[in-house]
Amino acid sequence: MGRTLVHMTNWAQFETEAPDLAKAVATRFEAHKHHVLATLRKDGSPRVSGTEVEFHDGALLLGSMVGARKVQDLQRDPRYSLHSNPGHHTMEGGDAKISGHAREIRGERKQQIVDRYPDEIPEADVFELDLDEVVHTTVDGEHLYVDLWRPGAGVTRFTK
C-alpha cells in the first residue's frame, strides 16, 4: 500500500530553495537521455529500470509505457530513487541522485503532457516526481564533495 504524504516538494520548490544545486542536478539529467530508476516490487525487494525524465513547467516528470512493471510498482508504493546516467568514465559535471515519492498524473494535465510528445508513445503513464532528497557528488583532483539537500533543510556539503 502506498503512503499518503502530508507535504510534497516538487522540482520548482527545490529550485527556489537551492537554485545552484538544482541547476547542477538538472544539467546531469539533461546530459543523457537514459537514467536508472529504482522502485519496490510487491515483496519489497528493489527493481531497477531504465527510464527517461523531463523537466516541464516546474515539475520533474517520468513517463512510461502503460502498465510497465515500474508503473505497477509506483502505483502500489510511490517511493523511488533516480540516478543520473554518469556518462563515459568521467565524473565531469558530477553524479546526481534523487529520492522521493511519485504521484501519478491523470486527466487533462496528463493529456497535455502526452500531447507534447506525439512521435514518442501515443499513450503513457505519467508521474510527477516529488523530492525528499537530492544528492550531487563532484570531485576535483584531491577531494570528493557531496551536496545533500532535503526540503526545508537547505544544502549541506560533505567533503572527503
Side-chain angles (χ1 to χ4, degrees):
M1 273 235 222
R3 294 188 285 174
T4 302
L5 296 176
V6 175
H7 177 72
M8 295 174 276
T9 301
N10 67 11
W11 186 263
Q13 291 166 301
F14 171 49
E15 285 180 311
T16 298
E17 287 189 27
D20 293 339
L21 182 57
K23 183 177 180 181
V25 170
T27 298
R28 291 308 312 137
F29 281 100
E30 291 170 339
H32 300 280
K33 185 172 184 170
H34 298 101
H35 307 287
V36 177
L37 176 73
T39 57
L40 295 170
R41 301 171 190 257
K42 277 185 194 178
D43 67 2
S45 64
R47 179 191 318 270
V48 294
S49 305
T51 198
E52 299 171 21
V53 295
E54 295 285 335
F55 297 93
H56 171 68
D57 199 25
L60 176 57
L61 302 175
L62 178 145
S64 177
M65 292 185 295
V66 173
R69 294 283 189 202
K70 61 187 164 191
V71 167
Q72 294 171 16
D73 290 346
L74 292 171
Q75 288 170 332
R76 184 179 51 260
D77 185 327
R79 293 177 290 174
Y80 76 90
S81 287
L82 180 67
H83 188 189
S84 66
N85 182 326
H88 302 289
H89 310 293
T90 177
M91 281 288 289
E92 183 178 337
D95 180 56
K97 296 179 270 301
I98 301 172
S99 296
H101 293 76
R103 285 185 291 122
E104 191 165 5
I105 298 173
R106 295 189 169 103
E108 186 178 324
R109 182 169 179 229
K110 174 185 170 181
Q111 193 58 52
Q112 290 171 346
I113 292 165
V114 171
D115 288 348
R116 288 184 59 217
Y117 305 96
D119 296 332
E120 305 239 348
I121 303 169
E123 282 196 40
D125 286 318
V126 180
F127 293 83
E128 181 168 354
L129 301 179
D130 288 321
L131 291 67
D132 294 340
E133 179 178 277
V134 177
V135 176
H136 184 242
T137 305
T138 54
V139 295
D140 64 17
E142 300 175 22
H143 296 95
L144 177 106
Y145 303 98
V146 178
D147 293 319
L148 167 66
W149 172 87
R150 290 190 177 120
V155 177
T156 303
R157 173 167 271 196
F158 302 92
T159 304
K160 298 180 181 188

